[in-house]
Amino acid sequence: MSTPRPAAVLVLAAGEGTRMRSTTPKVLHHIGGVPLVGHAIRAARGTGAQHVGVVVRHDRDRVAELCTTLDDRLVIADQDEVKGTARAVECGLGALPADLSGTVLVTYGDVPLLTGDTLVELTAAHLETGSAVSVVTAHLADPTGYGRVVRDANGRVEQIVEHKDATEAQRRITEINSGIYAFDVSVLREALASVGTDNAQGERYLTDVVALARAAGRPVRAHVLDDLWQTEGVNDRVQLAALGRELNRRICEGHMRAGVTIVDPATTWIDVDVTIGQDTTVLPGTQLLGATSVGAGALIGPQVTLTDTEVGDGAEVSRAVANLAVIGPGATVGPYSYLRPGTRLGARGKIGGFVETKNADIGEGAKVPHLTYAGDVTIGEGANIGAGTIFANYDGVAKHHSTVGRHSFVGSSTVVVSPVDVADGAYVAAGSALTQDVEPGQIAVARGRQRNIDGWVERSRAGTAAATAAREARARHTDGPEPATSEGNAS
Ligand code: UD1
Ligand code: CA
């Protein structure tokens, strides 16, 4: 039997979130590489519901725009100036088809660890028990601030009382309302019509629906969750960090259970959408962010930050930063390498220490091992770029592209003044300042010829330790040239 789906999920996200003390709306703050409201939308989508709506008001345009970027099938519902969670749900229902029937779930935009699986279980239990209202509850050691679940003598849920409206005895109740619910939509509509504002905050409380449904003889039940993290909301940045760490712990655990070695999960940060192949090892201090994917049997870390980067099987990356780069299978990167957008390193290629690359297509087995800037360049298969080579791609106005052909060799400390094409099987002498193309099989030598001037040190640096050392060295090598003591008798 396929699991029954809710007809709709409403995500409440109209609140202001003042305790974040931020110019960014609370639900747009991120954990695990996804905004808080994005986590809520993903969980909602995980139910397979036909409609997912987000109720917005505070910073409406920013929140709505971000939400539709994340999911273009979303329904955006605007809450008016009437306050309270009941009004938020009314506004949400108003944006859905009027003939909607079946189950509607309500969640919050600031409860990021709630999963789609939990909502699926909630829906199934709600329908199996024939309930009209299912409230997700949890038992907290410190329930301060939450709405309390008041049960009758038979243990059935009677009502929810907000902390501010609760009596001393009710405040001692440790079972709290998480704010996540499953409703039969017709019961919900009927009850909402009777929700007033007679409470400490003068708001229209969604929680009143519980007592109203009970009074109308509708079955109400509590769906108790043991995993407290899934009910926890973000109100300030301290909670944002705590929930971010817990989410990361869960993500790392998922990868470890799937066959990835993570040496130190506490210093490894992995975003929700990252994929990692079997038997890859992740060393401490590593961040795998955005849409990064890592193949199998790779070695990543220590101290690596990869953003939207693809790493092939068996590659090794240490102490590196890469953004929108592709690292081929069996390739090695680092230590201390900076791969900027458009870097593509071929299979078994190498980008070594203190190398920066950008728009660089580096062929199979090609090596850029030391101290190089390679921007706007295509480097052929098996080529070797000597230490300290700079591809000078920018002339102050425009960027230019250079190529180095297959199995070519660029000597150390060369400046390639782009655009220049070095053909396949060509060499460039060390120290060249290359401004012209090089044909296949040629070596380009683009530098001043060396001149040695005899006796210069003793003449121009007379009396220094260098002058003494030169004289002593010559005395030891009797066949060495005579010192030239003055301009006139230089040999
Ligand atoms: C609410 C519940 C409380 C529960 C707690 C769990 C009510 C009356 N109380 O209290 O029983 O224990 O959540 O966290 O429902 N929102 C809107 N529009 C509004 C008001 C709120 O969209 O007019 C959204 C907020 O953005 C937030 C959520 O609803 O995501 C909860 O609102 P909040 O004001 O934090 O409710 P609490 O007082 O915490
Ligand atoms: Ca809250």
Side-chain angles (χ1 to χ4, degrees), residues 207-231:
T207 45
D208 287 357
V209 166
V210 168
L212 288 164
R214 258 297 293 261
R218 310 291 191 170
V220 175
R221 64 180 277 276
H223 187 84
V224 185
L225 261 196
D226 293 329
D227 183 2
L228 302 182
W229 289 105
Q230 290 203 45
T231 66

Side-chain angles (χ1 to χ4, degrees), residues 233-292:
V234 172
N235 293 305
D236 58 28
R237 298 194 203 224
V238 176
Q239 285 170 315
L240 185 73
L243 287 176
R245 175 164 288 281
E246 175 60 18
L247 175 64
N248 187 61
R249 196 193 65 73
R250 290 174 181 217
I251 292 169
C252 286
E253 186 173 317
H255 287 295
M256 290 188 281
R257 298 216 180 276
V260 176
T261 295
I262 298 178
V263 172
D264 183 19
T267 63
T268 302
W269 290 84
I270 303 178
D271 279 353
V272 287
D273 289 330
V274 170
T275 62
I276 310 176
Q278 197 179 23
D279 287 321
T280 282
T281 296
V282 181
L283 298 174
T286 293
Q287 295 168 283
L288 303 177
L289 308 178
T292 291

Side-chain angles (χ1 to χ4, degrees), residues 12-15 79 83-85 88 108 110 146-147 162 177-178 205 207:
L12 309 191
Q79 186 174 351
K83 285 194 162 137
T85 43
Y108 290 167
D110 57 3
Y146 287 94
E162 291 306 292
N177 167 31
S178 70
Y205 287 170
T207 45

Side-chain angles (χ1 to χ4, degrees), residues 166-421:
T167 63
E168 275 307 311
Q170 286 168 335
R171 287 185 180 180
R172 282 194 292 274
I173 297 171
T174 58
E175 185 178 12
I176 61 98
N177 167 31
S178 70
I180 300 152
Y181 317 79
F183 295 105
D184 177 274
V185 67
S186 57
V187 173
L188 175 61
R189 281 209 174 95
E190 201 179 287
L192 280 172
S194 310
V195 171
T197 55
D198 183 17
N199 54 58
Q201 300 185 90
E203 292 186 4
R204 296 189 58 214
Y205 287 170
L206 181 59
T207 45
D208 287 357
V209 166
V210 168
L212 288 164
R214 258 297 293 261
R218 310 291 191 170
V220 175
R221 64 180 277 276
H223 187 84
V224 185
L225 261 196
D226 293 329
D227 183 2
L228 302 182
W229 289 105
Q230 290 203 45
T231 66
E232 200 153 311
V234 172
N235 293 305
D236 58 28
R237 298 194 203 224
V238 176
Q239 285 170 315
L240 185 73
L243 287 176
R245 175 164 288 281
E246 175 60 18
L247 175 64
N248 187 61
R249 196 193 65 73
R250 290 174 181 217
I251 292 169
C252 286
E253 186 173 317
H255 287 295
M256 290 188 281
R257 298 216 180 276
V260 176
T261 295
I262 298 178
V263 172
D264 183 19
T267 63
T268 302
W269 290 84
I270 303 178
D271 279 353
V272 287
D273 289 330
V274 170
T275 62
I276 310 176
Q278 197 179 23
D279 287 321
T280 282
T281 296
V282 181
L283 298 174
T286 293
Q287 295 168 283
L288 303 177
L289 308 178
T292 291
S293 69
V294 178
L299 179 62
I300 310 295
Q303 307 286 348
V304 165
T305 301
L306 304 180
T307 307
D308 300 331
T309 287
E310 185 184 322
V311 180
D313 294 346
E316 297 190 4
V317 184
S318 77
R319 297 184 203 275
V321 174
N323 189 3
L324 281 166
V326 178
I327 297 167
T332 61
V333 173
Y336 308 108
S337 313
Y338 180 25
L339 281 61
R340 294 167 52 199
T343 298
R344 302 181 68 89
L345 177 61
R348 295 171 306 285
K350 179 182 174 71
I351 294 176
F354 304 101
V355 172
E356 176 177 334
T357 59
K358 190 213 73 181
N359 283 338
D361 207 324
I362 301 168
E364 257 186 59
K367 292 185 166 57
V368 189
H370 331 272
L371 302 160
T372 286
Y373 174 64
D376 297 307
V377 65
T378 302
I379 295 170
E381 168 198 338
N384 188 92
I385 308 299
T389 295
I390 304 296
F391 289 86
N393 61 329
Y394 185 51
D395 61 12
V397 177
K399 300 282 175 67
H400 302 280
H401 182 269
S402 283
T403 58
V404 174
R406 296 173 55 240
H407 302 289
S408 288
F409 181 99
V410 175
S412 293
S413 199
T414 290
V415 180
V416 179
V417 183
S418 296
V420 169
D421 291 332

